[in-house]
Amino acid sequence: MAVVSRVRTKLVLLVIATAGLIGGLMLNLSGWPDFAWVVWTAGVLPIFMALVFEIIHDLWRGEVGLDIVAALSMSVALAFGECLAAAIVAVMYAGGTFLESFAEGRARREMRELMSRVPRSATRHRNGQLEDVPLDAIVAGDRLLIRQGDAVPVDGTVASTTAFVDTSALTGESLPVLLAVGSEAMSGSTNAGDAFDLIATRPAKESTYAGIVRLVEEAQQSKAPMSRLADRWSLGFLGITIALALAAWWFTNDPIRAVAVLVVATPCPLILAVPVALVAGLSRAAHYGVLIKGAKPLEAMSGIQTLILDKTGTLTDGRPQIVAIDRHTDMLEDEILRLAASLDQASKHPVALAIVAAAEARGLELSIPVEAAEFPGEGVRGIVDGHKVTVGGNDFVGSYVRPQPVGHPVLASGSVLAAVAVDDCLAAHLVMADPLREDAASTLLELRRQGIKRVLLATGDRVEVAKRVTEGLGLDEIRAGLFPDQKVMLVLTERKSGPVMMVGDGVNDAPALAAADVGVAMGARGASASAEAADVVLLVDKIDRLGSGIKIARSSRRIALESVVAGIGLSIVGMVAAAFGYLTPVQGAILQEAIDIAVILNALRALRVRPEVPKDPAKQIAPASSDGTTRQNVTSLPLDQGSYKG
């Protein structure tokens, strides 16, 4: 709301300044110069007062900006009766500040609040009944009911039965996990199975999710402020302006020459050209699915030297896929998959959904299962086309078949495995993986070409899984098993060597995103907490858009610098001409307008930046191996430890 309020305030000031300029011109042309003077002054004063307030605020924080030059030109022009020149300066200044504020407000308006996914209340057992209570009323020892799909509101222990929870947003683990009675469930995780009871171990304000929120707030406060590109030129240009104005007044004893110098010196090429180029860059980036939350993050993106990546959902797809079907009978592979997928239509387990998706991708016609019974976190059993079918973890399926299946070799590699039994005979093992994104390798190569010096992996997953998944990517360092605060420390450590970009998609990534110079959230399927904490959100689920965003940022900043150098150079020439008496204040203001138009047209070239977006490589279908299995040529082996129960 504060950003929206600032945009509205600056819009009002722009309307006042424009109305004053136009109204005064109309009165002057109508033969009422005295009234024109009054209208011009009335249009300038609100902008001048707002400008003085802004200057005092900046000086209080120890900052010196180009706003001082604009304030000097307006005040001196009014003092010496050059009201038309002052009105022109006021319009130029108000227009530039409005554009800058509008860019920030436009980029942020789509963002959800950090706490949008946190439950506001919980269902508590009390005297044999259920009651809805606010989170603040929950104390340690309360027994809560967590329904399917609910977010766990507080940290606690599972009480009534086993629980099947999705912790991916907190830990980066790709698949939901099975929690036995007495196991701890973290707040912020989601119930992916049947309803269960939870005994609260601590109040909401002390729980895991609340701690992550506090980490985000602390990280945002500790982030080094990014100065505006225009302000970096301010002191030098301010010194030149004042020196020329005083010299013109001193040697000619004509204060109007000093006024003309100050009017020509109004830094509108900086105030206007920079935000125009950056706003154009923001719009161009949004066209490619990269939402950048304002001009400052866009500037920061152009100087990134270190890239830190999360694994699950960032480098990997975050959704399990079948990478191999190891048959143990003469039954055709497609028939095994069809029976398993038909039965798994009765389950919402992520592995079951992946099996169904794989069957549909092959064009298999699925049947409707009967007498289907799901055992949360273990597997599904039922009848398909007259066959008894069991799909689930190795141990679960082993309890129904003879002889029992032995351990599968891929379990040691950190993959996910689903066993399939047909008529109580082991038919196959379905090997699941969270494959590396097809564009991951090419994207990292392109980012290094664009000047990224270090690429690191920061994940909460196990180190052996992280190494296997990222094999061949040429990462400079892999940091695995990290908690949210450890990711923040990694970001802060890397920032000592240069600007850092952090990319992630889960709640556990939010503090690190906030601490980085530029935090990037995978917004298509990521958590709202990471999207809110980030400076950049990828609106499409493609990591190659990182390269597009960085190229647009660097091109936009380069174009802005070109506009600044050209505009300031022309302004200095005009200041010298004004000092020698060749330009009156009004002529100087008109000249400055012409310079503004030229640099703005140049700045708009940022709208034509065309980053190359790599096309998705065609998917190759691997031939069947000699043992009858079909294997895809995936870059990595799967995600987490495993079996069907995650």
Side-chain angles (χ1 to χ4, degrees):
M1 292 301 294
V3 174
V4 174
S5 178
R6 287 197 298 270
V7 173
R8 289 176 178 172
T9 299
K10 295 190 183 294
L11 176 60
V12 170
L13 291 175
L14 176 59
V15 170
I16 291 173
T18 304
L21 175 61
I22 295 175
L25 286 173
M26 293 178 65
L27 288 171
N28 191 58
L29 292 174
S30 301
W32 300 84
D34 293 337
F35 288 101
W37 181 88
V38 173
V39 172
W40 283 328
T41 303
V44 171
L45 287 178
I47 286 77
F48 177 74
M49 293 172 62
L51 183 54
V52 169
F53 177 81
E54 188 73 23
I55 291 171
I56 294 173
H57 182 260
D58 290 344
L59 291 175
W60 180 262
R61 295 186 301 174
E63 299 176 2
V64 178
L66 287 164
D67 298 337
I68 295 177
V69 179
L72 279 174
S73 62
M74 277 188 270
S75 59
V76 172
L78 288 177
F80 289 97
E82 297 290 340
C83 298
L84 175 57
I88 295 173
V89 172
V91 170
M92 290 189 292
Y93 176 80
T97 56
F98 167 72
L99 281 173
E100 195 168 22
S101 296
F102 176 76
E104 181 181 0
R106 172 187 170 277
R108 287 184 177 269
R109 68 186 179 189
E110 302 276 334
M111 292 295 100
R112 294 176 291 178
E113 294 295 330
L114 172 62
M115 299 298 291
S116 62
R117 75 181 299 271
V118 180
R120 305 299 179 187
S121 63
T123 303
R124 181 172 64 185
H125 290 273
R126 178 60 59 89
N127 299 325
Q129 296 183 342
L130 296 174
E131 60 177 0
D132 287 334
V133 295
L135 287 189
D136 293 341
I138 298 174
V139 297
D142 281 349
R143 190 182 187 95
L144 308 176
L145 174 65
I146 312 300
R147 300 183 178 90
Q148 186 177 35
D150 286 350
V152 178
V154 297
D155 291 345
T157 57
V158 178
S160 61
T161 182
T162 55
F164 193 56
V165 297
D166 181 358
T167 63
S168 59
L170 292 172
T171 65
E173 294 288 339
S174 306
L175 292 177
V177 296
L178 180 68
L179 301 178
V181 175
S183 300
E184 183 175 0
M186 293 183 292
S187 60
S189 56
T190 303
N191 182 9
D194 295 335
F196 66 92
D197 285 351
L198 181 84
I199 303 297
T201 56
R202 55 180 65 92
K205 64 181 180 180
E206 299 175 9
S207 291
T208 302
Y209 193 83
I212 290 177
V213 172
R214 285 192 295 272
L215 275 175
V216 172
E217 294 172 347
E218 292 169 2
Q220 288 175 331
Q221 292 172 0
S222 67
K223 181 184 289 188
M226 294 177 285
S227 61
R228 290 187 307 173
L229 177 64
D231 290 340
R232 297 170 200 163
W233 299 69
S234 58
L235 288 177
F237 189 73
L238 177 61
I240 293 174
T241 298
I242 293 177
L244 271 175
L246 290 177
W249 193 351
W250 176 267
F251 288 108
T252 65
N253 201 29
D254 183 4
I256 301 301
R257 291 198 182 187
V259 174
V261 170
L262 290 173
V263 169
V264 176
T266 302
C268 290
L270 288 173
I271 295 173
L272 287 173
V274 172
V276 166
L278 298 184
V279 170
L282 295 177
S283 299
R284 195 61 178 162
H287 176 75
Y288 286 90
V290 183
L291 178 62
I292 304 175
K293 300 181 185 179
K296 290 182 180 179
L298 186 75
E299 282 191 55
M301 284 183 71
S302 65
I304 293 300
Q305 297 181 15
T306 300
L307 175 65
I308 301 177
L309 296 161
D310 178 44
K311 180 181 73 69
T312 304
T314 303
L315 275 180
T316 65
D317 187 64
R319 290 172 290 196
Q321 299 177 18
I322 294 178
V323 296
I325 299 178
D326 291 340
R327 294 187 299 140
H328 306 300
T329 71
D330 294 332
M331 186 179 296
L332 294 176
E333 182 180 288
D334 279 358
E335 180 63 10
I336 295 173
L337 181 59
R338 188 188 72 82
L339 292 174
S342 296
L343 177 62
D344 271 340
Q345 292 177 107
S347 173
K348 291 184 178 180
H349 190 289
V351 171
L353 297 176
I355 293 173
V356 173
E360 292 176 342
R362 294 194 183 194
L364 303 180
E365 185 175 348
L366 304 185
S367 302
I368 299 176
V370 296
E371 300 180 16
E374 181 173 11
F375 300 82
E378 297 287 346
V380 187
R381 184 170 170 81
I383 298 176
V384 178
D385 295 339
H387 296 283
K388 292 181 181 179
V389 181
T390 308
V391 183
N394 215 40
D395 293 339
F396 173 74
V397 174
S399 65
Y400 292 98
V401 302
R402 293 293 182 271
Q404 292 190 353
V406 296
H408 196 281
V410 300
L411 287 175
S413 68
S415 63
V416 174
L417 195 69
V420 181
V422 179
D423 294 327
D424 294 337
C425 291
L426 183 64
H429 279 100
L430 309 181
V431 183
M432 315 291 292
D434 180 13
L436 197 68
R437 291 179 183 269
E438 293 177 331
D439 56 355
S442 59
T443 296
L444 295 187
L445 182 61
E446 177 61 25
L447 289 174
R448 288 191 185 275
R449 290 196 188 107
Q450 292 187 21
I452 301 295
K453 297 178 180 178
R454 277 174 57 79
V455 181
L456 295 82
L457 179 74
T459 178
D461 211 342
R462 295 178 296 129
V463 63
E464 60 269 21
V465 175
K467 288 182 177 180
R468 188 174 294 275
V469 167
T470 59
E471 187 176 358
L473 288 183
L475 300 176
D476 294 292
E477 189 175 345
I478 296 176
R479 300 288 297 275
L482 300 183
F483 292 103
D485 57 338
Q486 293 173 316
K487 289 188 177 182
V488 172
M489 290 303 300
L490 176 62
V491 168
L492 296 179
T493 300
E494 291 295 326
R495 276 179 56 188
K496 297 177 182 178
S497 303
V500 172
M501 173 184 284
M502 170 72 192
V503 187
D505 74 326
V507 175
N508 61 323
D509 299 316
L513 297 179
D517 295 282
V518 179
V520 181
M522 303 293 292
R525 290 188 286 120
S528 59
S530 61
E532 179 63 25
D535 303 295
V536 180
V537 178
L538 302 186
L539 300 178
V540 292
D541 194 30
K542 291 180 178 294
I543 197 173
D544 61 25
R545 300 309 162 95
L546 271 179
S548 300
I550 291 177
K551 181 174 182 179
I552 290 172
R554 290 183 172 172
S555 297
S556 299
R557 188 177 186 276
R558 174 179 51 78
I559 291 170
L561 283 172
E562 291 173 356
S563 298
V564 166
V565 172
I568 292 300
L570 292 173
S571 293
I572 291 176
V573 172
M575 289 160 59
V576 172
F580 281 95
Y582 294 109
L583 292 174
T584 66
V586 173
Q587 291 172 337
I590 294 173
L591 173 63
Q592 189 58 261
E593 285 283 17
I595 295 173
D596 292 342
I597 292 172
V599 297
I600 287 173
L601 290 175
N602 182 68
L604 287 174
R605 290 193 299 115
L607 286 172
R608 299 197 298 271
V609 176
R610 294 183 179 274
E612 292 183 5
V613 179
K615 296 182 179 179
D616 293 335
K619 295 183 178 180
Q620 302 294 326
I621 301 176
S625 62
S626 59
D627 61 356
T629 62
T630 298
R631 300 184 180 275
Q632 295 180 13
N633 183 22
V634 290
T635 307
S636 66
L637 279 178
L639 33 98
D640 311 304
Q641 60 191 16
S643 67
Y644 186 92
K645 62 184 179 182

